[in-house]
Amino acid sequence: MCFYLGIDFGTSGARGVVIDEAESILQEVRHPFKVSTNADLVSCWHTALFSLLEQISRELRREIRAIAINGTSSTVLLCDAAGNPVDVPLLYNDGRGVVMLDRLRNVAPPNHTVLSATSSLAKLLWMSQLPSFPEARYFLHQADWLAFLLHGKLGISDYHNALKLGYDVEAFKYPKWLDKLQISIHLPKILTPGHPISELHPEIVTHYNFPSDCLVCAGTTDSIAAFLASGAKLPGEAVTSLGSTLVLKLLSRTRVEDSRYGIYSHRLGNLWLTGGASNTGGAVLRQFFTNAELENYSREIDASKESGLDYYPLLKPGDRFPINDPNLPPRLEPRPENPVEFLHGLLESIARIEARGYELLQELGADRLSRVYTAGGGAANDTWTAIRGRYLQVPVKRPVNTEAAYGTALLAMRGVRE
């Protein structure tokens, strides 16, 4: 028997999923994060990783053929020659790199993905000014460092994590303009996500009873892993994540990039996964309703009828996709006295924003939308699904699997099969 382990490092905890050759889930394990400061991140990640391995049953561990890990996009750290972090990691949403954007604009092509305060490259430039930087030899993403703990080889990444570092995923190499930055550190060697890196470290094999030839594969980001879990695989198929925010990802034969709207494309085999994120979403709904109210009021809404309300639901001013305006004011008036009518207007307005997002991706060259799979908490709301279907004019479905760890297990399996 051959089993495969996918590990997901999200924002609130780590998860592991073991699957078999038929892509069925055999076991799921979890480890919540308990972090008081960023200084605790490294030890927290280390503890979580090995806690997940420990939780997997001994019988399953004996048959695991490959392991892959995903991490949050643009969560990065500096390491010394032995792989020890020399400073505190910077998380995916850390915007300190904003002070480096003028320097980046002087070398990077217009509208490039790295021209964001939270990109890996902006973070690296900011970190290059730290007193600890001379001790550093490697710049790694979260998934890279966690995989290193398993296979022991430094300086290896994948082209999903490396996209925001500036790696050219069409030419499969770092661009020449990166040389102008004169960064004195090893940039990671880049592999295809899922490609085998090395066998599991012998000490881990012995301690946890893994097969001696168990492979650790190149990883991916958490959002790509969630897309892989959905089962979407054809041009025109998309995944909408209805979590605290609204995130769209559309599979396309054409690469679409435009930093003005936060739009960028990941390579997915011979296709492109293009998308953007809006600040609207579930967090706005939870500002006005409890989960029970959302469930009960949604049942009273007639999804086939227009609400007559036109909102732009935001918690605070500012959005970048599909409208790029850092000062865009929330629009939540008029507010009906009846909470069912108010919720109807909010759900419909978020659906309009989603539809406009997909329209924008298609206007910029992406494939025509044909089907939307829904991930996140909003996927369970059947009324909202019906409203969204009315605006999107394509089938809207809930995938069987949405767990990023499941998508990463699929990545490990496909990586060793190819």
Side-chain angles (χ1 to χ4, degrees):
M1 291 184 289
C2 291
F3 303 150
Y4 305 89
L5 169 61
I7 295 174
D8 163 46
F9 270 70
T11 55
S12 60
R15 299 178 182 184
V17 167
V18 180
I19 64 171
D20 62 16
E21 294 272 2
E23 302 183 0
S24 299
I25 295 175
L26 303 176
Q27 187 178 2
E28 298 181 68
V29 293
R30 302 185 180 213
H31 184 95
F33 293 152
K34 297 174 182 177
V35 185
S36 52
T37 68
N38 280 10
D40 300 329
L41 283 171
V42 167
S43 61
C44 170
W45 295 346
H46 187 285
T47 299
L49 176 62
F50 289 99
S51 167
L52 295 179
L53 298 186
E54 190 73 54
Q55 290 178 59
I56 297 167
S57 76
R58 189 178 180 88
E59 291 72 29
L60 293 183
R61 286 200 303 253
R62 278 202 297 257
E63 307 293 342
I64 290 176
R65 184 182 176 198
I67 302 170
I69 302 175
N70 78 67
T72 48
S73 179
S74 293
T75 293
V76 296
L77 67 165
L78 297 171
C79 298
D80 62 18
N84 300 308
V86 302
D87 216 307
V88 176
L90 296 188
L91 292 175
Y92 64 99
N93 58 353
D94 195 302
R96 280 176 275 191
V98 68
V99 296
M100 295 297 166
L101 289 185
D102 284 342
R103 185 177 167 192
L104 272 179
R105 286 190 192 100
N106 289 332
V107 298
N111 298 330
H112 196 282
T113 308
V114 299
L115 297 174
S116 162
T118 58
S119 76
S120 300
L121 188 55
K123 290 186 174 88
L124 172 55
L125 290 180
W126 184 87
M127 295 168 104
S128 69
Q129 299 184 326
L130 294 171
S132 58
F133 189 74
E135 302 171 45
R137 293 295 176 271
Y138 296 95
F139 176 77
L140 298 176
H141 299 89
Q142 179 188 35
D144 309 338
W145 184 74
L146 290 164
F148 153 73
L149 295 180
L150 298 183
H151 58 61
K153 296 184 183 301
L154 278 165
I156 299 174
S157 188
D158 63 89
Y159 62 58
H160 289 161
N161 273 293
L163 182 72
K164 296 179 185 177
L165 185 55
Y167 185 77
D168 187 336
V169 292
E170 281 192 280
F172 295 110
K173 64 182 180 181
Y174 286 107
K176 289 191 179 300
W177 58 258
L178 263 181
D179 296 338
K180 298 176 184 175
L181 295 172
Q182 298 182 321
I183 304 167
S184 57
I185 197 168
H186 290 293
L187 294 182
K189 175 186 176 183
I190 307 302
L191 301 178
T192 299
H195 185 83
I197 297 171
S198 181
E199 291 178 346
L200 201 58
H201 198 285
E203 289 182 9
I204 297 174
V205 167
T206 302
H207 184 81
Y208 293 98
N209 200 36
F210 282 99
S212 59
D213 59 352
C214 177
L215 292 166
V216 182
C217 301
T220 184
T221 66
D222 54 347
S223 62
I224 300 281
F227 185 92
L228 294 173
S230 74
K233 59 183 68 172
L234 299 174
E237 292 186 330
V239 172
T240 293
S241 178
L242 290 174
S244 299
T245 59
L246 173 71
V247 182
L248 314 184
K249 290 189 179 296
L250 172 61
L251 204 54
S252 173
R253 286 166 290 197
T254 305
R255 184 181 187 181
V256 177
E257 303 268 337
D258 198 324
S259 66
R260 293 174 302 168
Y261 300 101
I263 295 171
Y264 57 91
S265 293
H266 277 286
R267 189 177 197 116
L268 213 58
N270 294 319
L271 298 174
W272 298 96
L273 189 55
T274 184
S278 170
N279 293 334
T280 194
V284 183
L285 300 178
R286 285 194 296 273
Q287 185 181 33
F288 299 104
F289 303 100
T290 65
N291 288 338
E293 287 171 337
L294 284 170
E295 190 174 330
N296 293 330
Y297 294 156
S298 291
R299 289 199 196 99
E300 298 183 42
I301 294 171
D302 184 346
S304 67
K305 293 183 178 178
E306 297 271 351
S307 72
L309 298 167
D310 183 18
Y311 300 141
Y312 203 102
L314 297 169
L315 289 178
K316 60 183 181 180
D319 205 4
R320 65 174 183 171
F321 176 84
I323 296 176
N324 179 27
D325 182 354
N327 301 308
L328 183 71
R331 192 166 70 245
L332 295 163
E333 299 288 343
R335 180 171 176 179
E337 290 186 14
N338 185 336
V340 175
E341 292 178 20
F342 182 46
L343 177 59
H344 189 177
L346 289 173
L347 295 179
E348 202 170 66
S349 297
I350 296 173
R352 271 195 296 271
I353 294 169
E354 178 187 6
R356 176 58 195 142
Y358 282 120
E359 285 174 7
L360 179 59
L361 294 175
Q362 291 166 93
E363 287 168 9
L364 293 171
D367 271 71
R368 183 178 179 82
L369 186 69
S370 63
R371 183 189 302 266
V372 174
Y373 294 94
T374 312
N381 189 318
D382 293 334
T383 302
W384 201 2
T385 299
I387 291 171
R388 292 170 52 232
R390 180 157 50 85
Y391 279 93
L392 292 168
Q393 293 292 297
V394 297
V396 179
K397 304 206 175 269
R398 193 189 313 178
V400 175
N401 291 293
T402 58
E403 286 281 0
Y406 177 77
T408 310
L410 292 176
L411 186 71
M413 182 177 70
R414 293 164 187 170
V416 297
R417 280 178 172 179
E418 293 173 0

